[in-house]
Amino acid sequence: MAEWAEEERELLRGNMARADRYLTGDPDAPPLPSILGLFARHPRLGASWLAFSGMLLDDGTLDPRDRELLILRVGWRTRCRYQWAQHVGMAQAAGLAPEEVAAVPEGAAAGIWTERDRDILRAVDQLVDGHTVDDATWERLAGHFDERRLLELLFAVGGYTCLAMVLNSVGLEPAGGPDLETAPVPGPAGTPAQ
């Protein structure tokens, strides 16, 4: 971070509250996560991405548990090890039990889920596979979510799928992986998805 110009730090700061503590430039700032180092390589683009992600994570309309469930499923389906590792802890903090995190790889077929959770997982799979949610799933989701939440669900899945493509393509690996033994980290991109 010391080699960054103040202009680069300034472009990234203020876009996501949880990232700002790393971007102070102070000698006692926590070590920079590798994803912020990636964004710093193109700070104007990185700043915009942080603003979008910050809105979803810090100021979105989706329930945090729902958001983290869909992000984990995107991470699993796209085989994005970094995304999976980053969001396991966030998912647990948002209310997903360890056994639910462990069931994410199985998707909607796992017996642990409520029908609402199954529809969230189905929506992720349908968006990843065919880039659209089918009418039946959409109708059921509309029974649980208002129009803004439905739109946010689509943007969250699309945004995290895009991020997974970037992270997989540049080979960004998690620092220590998830500290859970209940669910494996997805294999490298190219491994068949479940």
Side-chain angles (χ1 to χ4, degrees), residues 16 18-19 21-22 35 53-54 56-59 63-72 82-98 100-101 160 163 177-180:
M16 180 189 277
R18 65 184 78 209
R21 65 184 172 170
Y22 301 101
I35 194 166
S53 294
L56 291 173
L57 294 175
D58 299 327
D59 198 29
D63 178 83
R65 183 187 178 281
D66 295 337
R67 180 197 66 228
E68 291 304 318
L69 177 59
L70 69 86
I71 292 171
L72 282 180
Y82 190 92
Q83 194 172 88
W84 177 269
Q86 288 301 115
H87 283 271
V88 164
M90 293 171 71
Q92 287 185 304
L96 281 165
E100 290 174 315
V101 172
Y160 278 89
L163 183 59
D179 53 3
L180 262 189

Side-chain angles (χ1 to χ4, degrees), residues 61-63 65-67 69-70 108 113-128 132-157:
T61 61
L62 284 175
D63 178 83
R65 183 187 178 281
D66 295 337
R67 180 197 66 228
L69 177 59
L70 69 86
W113 304 117
T114 65
E115 280 306 313
R116 184 175 184 274
D117 290 340
R118 279 186 176 85
D119 286 331
I120 291 169
L121 293 163
R122 283 183 194 111
V124 172
D125 288 347
Q126 290 169 10
L127 287 165
V128 169
T132 191
V133 177
D134 71 29
D135 292 342
T137 302
W138 186 260
E139 187 174 318
R140 287 190 307 274
L141 287 170
H144 300 291
F145 298 109
D146 64 19
E147 189 175 77
R148 288 184 321 145
R149 285 179 179 87
L150 285 169
L151 190 57
E152 192 170 309
L153 181 147
L154 298 174
F155 271 101
V157 173

